[in-house]
Amino acid sequence: MRKTIYLPFIALALMATSCNTKKAAAPQGGIRVENLDKTANPRTDFYQYACGGWMAANPLTDEYSRFGSFDQLAENNRTQIKSLIEDLAHKQSEQGSVARKVGDLYNIAMDSAKLNAEGIAPIKAELEKIAAISNRKGFPQLIANMHRDGFGPFFGLYVGADEMNSSMNIAQLYQGGLSLGQRDYYMENDEHTKEIRAKFEEHVAKMFQLAGFTTGEAQKAAANVMKVETRLAESSKSMVELRDPQGNYNKITVAQLQKEVPGMDWNTYFTTIGLKDLKEVNAGQIAQLKAVADLLNKENLDVLKSYLEWNVINSASGYLSDDLVAQNFEFYGKVLSGRKEMQPRWKRAVSTVNGVLGEAVGQMYTEKYFPAAAKERMVKLVANLQKALGERIQGLAWMSDETKAKAQEKLAAFHVKIGYPDKWRDYSSLEIKNDSYWNNIVRSNHFDYDYMISKAGKPVDKDEWLMTPQTVNAYYNPTTNEICFPAGILQYPFFDMNADDACNYGAIGVVIGHEMTHGFDDQGRQYDKDGNLKDWWTATDAENFEKRAQVLVDYFNNIKVLPDLNANGELTLGENIADHGGLQVAYTALQKAMAETPLGNDANGFTPAQRFFLSYANVWAGNVRDEQIRLQTKSDPHSLGRWRVNGALPHIGAWYEAFGVKEGDPLYLPVEQRASIW
């Protein structure tokens, strides 16, 4: 998959999801009974009861470390997108047209003979440039050029909304440079983590050998990489610390940055990257920037050169010869996530085209596959959920009228995006040529980076989308106070035009409520209606919120996801609050809808309330490998699918009533121990 070169601050809501409502149901809708495991007791393990049939019918194949009903939908989308792309790949469209670029890039990605013949030739000049470094003077310029090329040494830069002045964009520096993604892999010393580190170092050495280094050189280089990345990890914030918006806001002038981090020539870096005469920047994790400067000035030059070479090899490996692609998969696919088999080349090629020309593909996709009726129904659903959340806010006993008024203002100001953007991106200046696969990726990185840099110091475009329309996901963005539901997720089995309200409110309705609740979770609540990081709470209300949120932290911290591993309640708090709020709000909205249009039992005897909760659970139906469980628990702010059901529902009073859950049942939680927030 194409490398992401900047990180906009968005709260992603969904990872591996779907809703299995009945596609051709009885007049009042229904549940697919084949998804159920009727041998399981819903009061003992609701996840197994609701999803066990689906899980048994869809065992993990070697290609996946995790596969759910949501992934099924994503696969269907990918097949549709493949047909669109291949149609263009077989044509000779007009030179320079978007259609030609889509087709040419796909053909380049599929040309294994050319890729294998080239070997490491596409990155050889870059490696030679790094090997020729004889002093430290050129590091700021080199790092800037590498960032623009799509490599990620030491730290990162992106341009996004100033969180204290959300209508304007600002350049932002953020911690980075870790091949394992986050610091725990370098800092923790349990047996599993130590094994990951050892295998990572072996992997780095093998990649250096494939890039033409001798065995001795490769082993030394791998040790050097480990040395630098461990030092970066030591100065990095944890995943939990990165969730604190206030703690990661540090707006300073470039002159102040130069004073606080003198070991780096920041003016040269910014000028090279395209930000000449930059006045101010948000240096969110400045401790790591200081560690970077210390490394650049004091670490052995050969050690630094190994680290930079590794960044080139690692970033480019997916676009080079098959031996490098295979070794990359050996570690990141097999060791880290437990997958046994690489995706076929066509899937990887489609992912690249989606990454490089995402909105162009999205425009084709929505024109062919997204019906206007789906958007119309979603608009109505969002309005109903918005009204339900407003009523719940107004009814909160723990919140003052003063804070309620501010919350209502924020809710009313939500910017809703459904389906696809009103204006499509212009790709006319992106050049796709038949030189090498990697060169096209670099040109694409330049195209995206320059587009991003051009926003610095300019007003935020609130109509810009942060996901492509074909993405099977949804998001809330606090700085624009927006909720977005791309076309990719608005289809069966997640959103079913043929299902009744009980099923759709339990699935897409909870998703809508989830996204809305993100505006009021432990992070989102710190932003006002205009997207500014500004405290609009009374001190008492904030204290009440934190006490109520702590109930979820403590509850999830005690969940065993593996015999030797607990869930991380602090890391997953925002998503757990959003799930909790989404369920409460969607259920309230369903009751209001049924007051107008009553619903009865379906053909299988399930009540509307039961259909609601079964549809919600089916969203998370899936199988997952132990390696993926460990990976997600360390780094993913979303709880695992099983616990987004068995961990979330015991806090929802209506679920107890729907399935007769009583004291003594394994999933029963006393009322005083249940979370109650939104």
Side-chain angles (χ1 to χ4, degrees), residues 467-647:
M467 281 181 181
T468 60
Q470 64 270 36
T471 303
V472 186
N473 213 321
Y475 71 82
Y476 170 76
N477 184 18
T479 57
T480 51
N481 196 28
E482 71 179 66
I483 50 178
C484 179
F485 307 99
I489 199 172
L490 303 179
Q491 58 180 311
Y492 177 83
F494 215 102
F495 171 52
D496 187 356
M497 292 292 291
N498 297 310
D500 73 358
D501 279 348
C503 294
N504 272 330
Y505 274 87
I508 197 68
V510 176
V511 173
I512 296 167
H514 175 114
E515 299 305 342
M516 290 180 177
T517 305
H518 266 312
F520 305 96
D521 69 15
D522 63 312
Q523 289 177 294
R525 78 173 189 86
Q526 299 181 55
Y527 297 80
D528 67 12
K529 66 182 179 67
D530 298 314
N532 291 307
L533 195 53
K534 182 180 179 182
D535 191 359
W536 47 273
W537 294 62
T538 68
T540 300
D541 290 337
E543 184 180 349
N544 285 338
F545 175 90
E546 288 167 1
K547 285 180 180 177
R548 288 165 181 270
Q550 190 63 40
V551 174
L552 285 176
V553 172
D554 295 340
Y555 182 84
F556 277 84
N557 275 341
N558 286 318
I559 289 174
K560 288 269 184 199
V561 297
L562 289 173
D564 63 338
L565 183 66
N566 280 39
N568 187 334
E570 287 83 7
L571 177 60
T572 57
L573 177 59
E575 296 299 333
N576 293 336
I577 290 173
D579 281 346
H580 179 72
L583 281 160
Q584 299 277 48
V585 173
Y587 193 78
T588 296
L590 173 61
Q591 302 313 302
K592 291 175 66 62
M594 289 198 302
E596 295 182 12
T597 308
L599 296 174
N601 293 358
D602 70 0
N604 299 303
F606 290 115
T607 68
Q610 289 173 331
R611 298 202 295 279
F612 175 92
F613 290 110
L614 287 170
S615 294
Y616 171 74
N618 284 167
V619 163
W620 306 108
N623 292 299
V624 58
R625 300 189 194 279
D626 286 357
E627 294 91 338
Q628 184 68 24
I629 289 175
R630 291 186 184 278
L631 179 63
Q632 285 187 233
T633 302
K634 278 185 181 290
S635 59
D636 193 341
H638 303 79
S639 293
L640 293 155
R642 175 176 294 276
W643 300 108
R644 295 184 81 164
V645 176
N646 284 355

Side-chain angles (χ1 to χ4, degrees), residues 338-351:
R339 286 185 288 155
K340 298 179 180 180
E341 182 180 287
M342 197 185 311
Q343 285 186 332
R345 190 179 297 275
W346 75 262
K347 289 187 179 182
R348 289 178 275 137
V350 166
S351 293

Side-chain angles (χ1 to χ4, degrees), residues 359 415-418 420-425 451 455 459-467 475 477 480 482 484:
E359 283 200 15
H415 185 32
V416 182
K417 298 176 178 178
I418 297 172
Y420 51 86
D422 294 327
K423 184 176 72 174
W424 298 100
R425 190 168 175 193
Y451 175 71
K455 302 174 189 176
V460 171
D461 179 2
K462 293 193 175 184
D463 292 326
E464 182 179 13
W465 279 50
L466 303 179
M467 281 181 181
Y475 71 82
N477 184 18
T480 51
E482 71 179 66
C484 179

Side-chain angles (χ1 to χ4, degrees), residues 189-252:
N189 283 305
D190 59 276
E191 289 305 311
H192 176 76
T193 306
K194 287 194 288 187
E195 181 183 7
I196 290 290
R197 281 200 295 270
K199 289 184 176 180
F200 171 66
E201 193 166 339
E202 291 174 12
H203 163 66
V204 175
K206 289 177 181 177
M207 291 291 276
F208 268 95
Q209 284 182 267
L210 291 172
F213 292 74
T214 67
T215 301
E217 290 170 339
Q219 290 174 345
K220 185 176 181 180
N224 289 344
V225 169
M226 204 64 206
K227 183 178 182 181
V228 172
E229 295 200 3
T230 301
R231 178 71 186 283
L232 292 174
E234 290 169 350
S235 63
S236 297
K237 290 188 176 184
S238 69
M239 296 295 289
V240 172
E241 290 171 325
L242 290 173
R243 295 192 69 254
D244 176 12
Q246 297 281 357
N248 291 283
Y249 186 85
N250 181 36
K251 183 177 175 179
I252 57 178

Side-chain angles (χ1 to χ4, degrees), residues 93-94 96-106 353 357 427-432:
S93 302
E94 182 182 350
S97 67
V98 170
R100 180 67 175 266
K101 291 172 184 180
V102 168
D104 284 354
L105 183 59
Y106 182 78
V353 177
L357 292 146
Y427 289 95
S428 58
S429 62
L430 173 62
E431 191 175 20
I432 302 297

Side-chain angles (χ1 to χ4, degrees), residues 160-458:
D162 181 342
E163 293 183 315
M164 293 289 190
N165 181 20
S166 64
S167 65
M168 297 298 293
N169 285 307
I170 187 175
Q172 313 202 36
L173 298 170
Y174 62 92
Q175 69 182 44
L178 303 179
S179 304
L180 292 173
Q182 49 100 10
R183 73 172 196 173
D184 288 357
Y185 282 111
Y186 304 85
M187 308 292 292
E188 294 180 354
N189 283 305
D190 59 276
E191 289 305 311
H192 176 76
T193 306
K194 287 194 288 187
E195 181 183 7
I196 290 290
R197 281 200 295 270
K199 289 184 176 180
F200 171 66
E201 193 166 339
E202 291 174 12
H203 163 66
V204 175
K206 289 177 181 177
M207 291 291 276
F208 268 95
Q209 284 182 267
L210 291 172
F213 292 74
T214 67
T215 301
E217 290 170 339
Q219 290 174 345
K220 185 176 181 180
N224 289 344
V225 169
M226 204 64 206
K227 183 178 182 181
V228 172
E229 295 200 3
T230 301
R231 178 71 186 283
L232 292 174
E234 290 169 350
S235 63
S236 297
K237 290 188 176 184
S238 69
M239 296 295 289
V240 172
E241 290 171 325
L242 290 173
R243 295 192 69 254
D244 176 12
Q246 297 281 357
N248 291 283
Y249 186 85
N250 181 36
K251 183 177 175 179
I252 57 178
T253 66
V254 173
Q256 287 175 304
L257 176 65
Q258 192 63 67
K259 187 176 181 180
E260 289 193 42
V261 190
M264 174 82 168
D265 183 348
W266 291 105
N267 280 319
T268 295
Y269 171 81
F270 289 127
T271 298
T272 306
I273 211 75
L275 293 170
K276 186 179 181 181
D277 300 324
L278 185 69
K279 300 301 181 188
E280 55 189 14
V281 63
N282 178 30
Q285 301 86 38
I286 201 163
Q288 204 218 27
L289 297 179
K290 291 177 179 178
V292 169
D294 194 57
L295 277 166
L296 292 175
N297 286 280
K298 296 179 182 177
E299 186 53 79
N300 180 280
L301 203 58
D302 287 337
V303 172
L304 296 174
K305 286 159 69 172
S306 293
Y307 173 71
L308 293 171
E309 288 165 338
W310 165 244
N311 270 264
V312 173
I313 297 167
N314 190 37
S315 296
S317 60
Y319 311 96
L320 300 174
S321 52
D322 286 348
D323 52 356
L324 283 155
V325 173
Q327 179 55 45
N328 181 275
F329 175 78
E330 191 70 25
F331 178 75
Y332 287 105
K334 291 185 179 180
V335 174
L336 270 191
S337 69
R339 286 185 288 155
K340 298 179 180 180
E341 182 180 287
M342 197 185 311
Q343 285 186 332
R345 190 179 297 275
W346 75 262
K347 289 187 179 182
R348 289 178 275 137
V350 166
S351 293
T352 296
V353 177
N354 255 333
V356 172
L357 292 146
E359 283 200 15
V361 175
Q363 188 172 5
M364 295 187 296
Y365 171 81
T366 53
E367 285 173 357
K368 185 167 184 178
Y369 295 113
F370 186 58
K375 185 167 185 173
E376 291 168 8
R377 191 164 176 187
M378 272 296 293
V379 169
K380 183 178 179 181
L381 276 169
V382 170
N384 291 348
L385 269 292
Q386 205 164 358
K387 187 174 181 180
L389 177 53
E391 291 180 2
R392 291 192 66 85
I393 289 171
Q394 205 57 39
L396 294 174
W398 59 268
M399 180 179 279
S400 69
D401 289 343
E402 180 184 347
T403 304
K404 284 180 184 177
K406 296 287 187 182
Q408 295 285 12
E409 287 177 7
K410 181 171 184 177
L411 177 62
F414 274 179
H415 185 32
V416 182
K417 298 176 178 178
I418 297 172
Y420 51 86
D422 294 327
K423 184 176 72 174
W424 298 100
R425 190 168 175 193
D426 179 9
Y427 289 95
S428 58
S429 62
L430 173 62
E431 191 175 20
I432 302 297
K433 297 196 300 188
N434 193 27
D435 46 2
S436 78
Y437 192 12
W438 174 242
N439 284 349
N440 280 291
I441 298 301
V442 171
R443 282 191 293 271
S444 171
N445 287 337
H446 291 172
F447 175 76
D448 284 340
Y449 213 97
D450 294 346
Y451 175 71
M452 175 188 70
I453 290 295
S454 70
K455 302 174 189 176
K458 295 179 181 177

